[in-house]
Amino acid sequence: MKYIEEFQDPELAQRLLDDIRATVTRPWALMEVCGGQTHTIIRHGIDQLLPDEVELIHGPGCPVCVTPLEVIDKALEIASRPEVVFCSFGDMLRVPGTDRDLFRVRAEGGDVRVVYSPLDALRLAQQNPDREVVFFGIGFETTAPPNAMTVYQARKSGIRNFSMLVSHVRVPPAIEAIMRSPDCRVQGFLAAGHVCSVMGVGEYPELAEKHRVPIVVTGFEPLDILEGVRRAVRQLEAGTHTVENAYPRAVRPEGNPAAQAMLADVFEVTDRSWRGIGVIPDSGWRLSGRYREFDAEQRFAVGGIQTREPAACRAGEVLQGLLKPHECEAFGTICTPRTPLGATMVSSEGACAAYYLYRRLELPQARVNAAAAGEASPVV
Amino acid sequence: MCLAVPGRVLRIEERDGTKMADVDFGGVIKEVCLEYLPDLEVGEYAIVHVGFALQRLDEESARRTLELFAGLGILQEEFGDPWEAAVAMGRTAGGAETGVEEVRR
Ligand code: SF4
């Protein structure tokens, strides 16, 4: 119990753990969908506090990690143009494209800015009418409404020097794809709380029924995760598979209807390729016809992109829960946050970054020595 | 990136036809769009993601979350200078020169 004192309410944490221990009778594999939850789990050692029977498999819910390499390369190309002010959330800065990242583009003279909100990018467009302001619109259902509102306002205010490079992704089709995979070991899901704050829980009963898996809407704090696990394990032991909301303080069953209406207006569902995973049908959003003129891909015809992933990177398997980050040969040796081979090593929600930040010291000594040797040779 | 932080509404006003508010996140004040929660009132709490209020939150749980986030340095990560954060991330790799600092300007 080396971490439990660090919980906000250690007594409650202990009670939840005791309940899980008293309930569980055989092995179960649960997937936490969201990378933010993965970070909480690894940071607080929740996977190590849980009884051995309960395994947490880390899911693909890191928008930075799953943004396709081709889109990253397009972003780098657009950001390099002299007339462009390229705006992004901070997480994207160090995501490796085929041969550079946004940090490098900025060093080479590109005007790359980090914004807190997409509305900041729109304001930049208003203030700089002679520049083309492009916003990198990525994210799950939580981030899509802010980005949708920004495009809506650009159109309403007739701001023509603004556009968005859109690569939005949706959670339910990803759950569907994971359950269909022949290698799937997942028996229950902790669904991402803030996605459900927007979308509600209506998309999940069908998935739970069809695949006979419990789905528990779960928050991001250590106690939230324990409660989500507790409820999922109870269902698995009882042989039920319903949708439960373990995060009612931030999730209403209907979600946020105003945000959903905006999404339906500004975006339309499309097939989307996920980095390292491949195309998942209906798993993305792109700008709908009414807003197509704000699509940066159309405005800046970026073609002829040849993408190349480092052969050693196994982020695709990590994102599908088939491999734990430290099982990747490159982890902590040639791949570190300083020399990342995959986006999962630099995103604040990436599983490889979580293991590196909180678990690196648990690597076997042989690996650490190899890492020291690896430092000497430059890594591309 | 999907992090949403609870904040308390300090002031509400229309700006360019959009409902905006000043919101307090444990001492950091940010401008937040209220279009998705138009009936939110001064003094109430909401979870805020990239400058948008997305769902109401009761005061008790909002305070607890803010306390936890402050203790873990998460507020600093969310509202600090992102360029600094990227440099710091390079530094966690343990090297003296990060290769990131050089390209800052
Ligand atoms: S440790 Fe690095 S190389 Fe291995 S999967 Fe993660 S990002 Fe890719």
Side-chain angles (χ1 to χ4, degrees), chain A residues 146-229:
Chain A
N147 293 351
M149 175 68 77
T150 305
V151 178
Y152 169 84
Q153 296 213 344
R155 185 170 183 267
K156 195 177 82 176
S157 313
I159 302 172
R160 309 231 157 267
N161 62 326
F162 176 83
S163 61
M164 199 176 280
L165 181 60
V166 177
S167 192
H168 275 296
V169 276
R170 302 169 58 227
V171 167
I175 291 185
E176 172 75 28
I178 287 161
M179 288 314 295
R180 278 168 178 262
S181 154
D183 304 320
C184 175
R185 295 192 296 122
V186 180
Q187 293 162 298
F189 285 95
L190 307 184
H194 292 149
V195 162
C196 299
S197 295
V198 170
M199 302 306 290
V201 298
E203 295 174 290
Y204 296 106
E206 197 191 319
L207 280 169
E209 184 58 41
K210 181 170 163 196
H211 298 289
R212 308 186 69 79
V213 281
I215 301 179
V216 181
V217 176
T218 304
F220 298 83
E221 294 167 33
L223 292 170
D224 291 330
I225 306 274
L226 287 179
E227 174 62 2
V229 170

Side-chain angles (χ1 to χ4, degrees), chain A residues 48-378:
Chain A
Q48 297 171 336
L49 289 169
L50 287 169
D52 291 342
E53 288 89 341
V54 181
E55 183 192 357
L56 295 177
I57 298 178
H58 314 313
C62 163
V64 172
C65 305
V66 302
T67 301
L69 183 54
E70 198 195 347
V71 176
I72 303 282
D73 282 350
K74 281 183 182 168
L76 296 169
E77 182 134 350
I78 293 171
S80 304
R81 300 204 177 195
E83 75 276 24
V84 166
V85 179
F86 193 86
C87 301
S88 163
F89 296 129
D91 297 51
M92 298 304 285
L93 292 177
R94 307 213 45 238
V95 171
T98 293
D99 48 31
R100 52 190 176 156
D101 58 20
L102 282 171
F103 233 103
R104 177 60 58 191
V105 168
R106 175 156 138 148
E108 291 164 357
D111 193 346
V112 178
R113 312 224 190 153
V114 173
V115 292
Y116 163 67
S117 165
L119 288 179
D120 298 339
L122 189 61
R123 196 166 309 137
L124 271 174
Q126 278 171 304
Q127 290 161 353
N128 299 278
D130 54 331
R131 307 288 302 278
E132 276 289 336
V133 176
V134 182
F135 180 73
F136 202 170
I138 67 152
F140 279 94
E141 292 94 327
T142 321
T143 319
N147 293 351
M149 175 68 77
T150 305
V151 178
Y152 169 84
Q153 296 213 344
R155 185 170 183 267
K156 195 177 82 176
S157 313
I159 302 172
R160 309 231 157 267
N161 62 326
F162 176 83
S163 61
M164 199 176 280
L165 181 60
V166 177
S167 192
H168 275 296
V169 276
R170 302 169 58 227
V171 167
I175 291 185
E176 172 75 28
I178 287 161
M179 288 314 295
R180 278 168 178 262
S181 154
D183 304 320
C184 175
R185 295 192 296 122
V186 180
Q187 293 162 298
F189 285 95
L190 307 184
H194 292 149
V195 162
C196 299
S197 295
V198 170
M199 302 306 290
V201 298
E203 295 174 290
Y204 296 106
E206 197 191 319
L207 280 169
E209 184 58 41
K210 181 170 163 196
H211 298 289
R212 308 186 69 79
V213 281
I215 301 179
V216 181
V217 176
T218 304
F220 298 83
E221 294 167 33
L223 292 170
D224 291 330
I225 306 274
L226 287 179
E227 174 62 2
V229 170
R230 189 184 75 88
R231 297 223 205 169
V233 167
R234 283 201 161 253
Q235 282 210 43
L236 287 166
E237 290 285 344
T240 59
H241 46 270
T242 60
V243 177
E244 281 186 65
N245 182 1
Y247 192 38
R249 68 180 189 276
V251 174
R252 280 146 216 264
E254 72 280 11
N256 184 321
Q260 290 164 26
M262 183 61 80
L263 287 172
D265 178 35
V266 175
F267 293 133
E268 63 190 24
V269 169
T270 182
D271 295 349
R272 173 82 63 214
S273 169
W274 296 46
R275 188 171 189 171
I277 297 177
V279 174
I280 302 179
D282 293 339
S283 68
W285 272 312
R286 64 173 177 198
L287 291 170
S288 66
R290 272 155 62 87
Y291 297 89
R292 201 63 51 77
E293 61 179 303
F294 294 96
D295 185 347
E297 276 190 74
Q298 303 221 335
R299 193 170 298 183
F300 306 90
V302 266
I305 285 184
Q306 295 280 335
T307 60
R308 195 172 13 90
E309 288 278 15
C313 181
R314 302 180 68 185
E317 288 156 88
V318 170
L319 286 164
Q320 293 169 82
L322 303 175
L323 188 82
K324 293 262 158 58
H326 60 282
E327 291 162 3
C328 167
E329 281 294 317
F331 176 85
T333 57
I334 58 170
C335 180
T336 69
R338 181 151 64 121
T339 54
L341 293 188
T344 45
M345 186 52 98
V346 283
S347 165
S348 61
E349 275 142 31
C352 300
Y355 274 71
Y356 192 87
L357 285 173
Y358 309 119
R359 289 281 160 82
R360 180 170 40 130
L361 300 177
E362 294 164 29
L363 272 184
Q365 194 56 39
R367 278 289 275 292
V368 178
N369 293 344
E375 292 282 55
S377 54

Side-chain angles (χ1 to χ4, degrees), chain B:
Chain B
M1 205 201 95
C2 292
L3 187 68
V5 180
R8 181 170 174 265
V9 178
L10 298 177
R11 199 164 68 100
I12 299 175
E13 67 177 24
E14 289 268 316
R15 287 172 211 161
D16 300 333
T18 305
K19 198 160 191 192
M20 302 294 289
D22 292 338
V23 172
D24 177 7
F25 301 93
V28 182
I29 316 281
K30 283 268 175 194
E31 196 181 32
V32 166
C33 176
L34 297 190
E35 288 289 317
Y36 291 137
L37 276 186
D39 50 356
L40 202 65
E41 287 171 19
V42 170
E44 282 192 296
Y45 286 80
I47 51 168
V48 175
H49 175 61
V50 299
F52 285 73
L54 293 180
Q55 200 57 267
R56 263 196 177 75
L57 209 57
D58 66 276
E59 174 165 355
E60 156 81 16
S61 45
R63 277 178 192 277
R64 284 177 68 107
T65 302
L66 275 171
E67 216 175 275
L68 176 75
F69 282 9
L72 292 173
I74 292 175
L75 291 181
Q76 174 61 30
E77 276 167 34
E78 179 75 357
F79 300 116
D81 178 349
W83 296 99
E84 293 286 348
V87 170
M89 184 146 198
R91 248 187 235 126
T92 57
E97 11 71 76
T98 62
V100 171
E101 271 155 322
E102 306 153 25
V103 302
R104 285 195 85 207
R105 47 166 213 204

